[in-house]
Amino acid sequence: MKCKINRNAAKVLKEMLNTEEAEGKMIRVVIDYMHGDHAHYKIVYDTPTEHDEIVKTDKGIDILLDKREEFLDGVWLQYFYVPQEDFVITNPSKSPHVHNH
């Protein structure tokens, strides 16, 4: 499975992983809900299960993805500081839509 993150997202995810809430856990991207031909995603803290793939990114952060969910393969996590600070999670291989997280 594939997952990309931009430099801003890597920085924010590293900060998130250094919190008490994340202790002993990893970053997981999950499908928040689906409609039509695309999904909306969110980030949670979790531990790997037998259904997961641990995807190593080129920014040194590992992301958990459930191998049973085809809409997670190719997901792209970006973090922007403008117009507001927020993650934008898309899957360019599955849908041309762009929705804010």
Side-chain angles (χ1 to χ4, degrees), residues 18-91:
N18 284 330
T19 62
E20 255 182 64
E21 186 185 357
E23 193 170 329
K25 299 199 172 156
M26 297 175 68
I27 297 290
R28 175 187 295 280
V29 176
V30 297
I31 294 174
D32 199 17
Y33 61 95
M34 292 187 70
H35 63 93
D37 63 349
H38 67 282
H40 292 248
Y41 307 92
K42 69 178 182 178
I43 295 169
V44 296
Y45 300 117
D46 205 359
T47 52
T49 71
E50 65 190 72
H51 300 294
D52 293 328
E53 183 169 330
I54 299 171
V55 180
K56 297 195 177 302
T57 68
D58 63 353
K59 305 286 188 293
I61 303 237
D62 295 342
I63 306 288
L64 289 176
L65 297 177
D66 187 326
K67 292 183 288 204
R68 299 167 297 178
E69 282 293 348
E70 68 170 289
F71 272 81
L72 290 173
D73 190 15
V75 77
W76 190 18
L77 282 74
Q78 300 174 85
Y79 192 88
F80 297 104
Y81 292 97
V82 290
Q84 76 268 357
E85 292 192 21
D86 203 0
F87 279 99
V88 176
I89 307 173
T90 57
N91 191 334

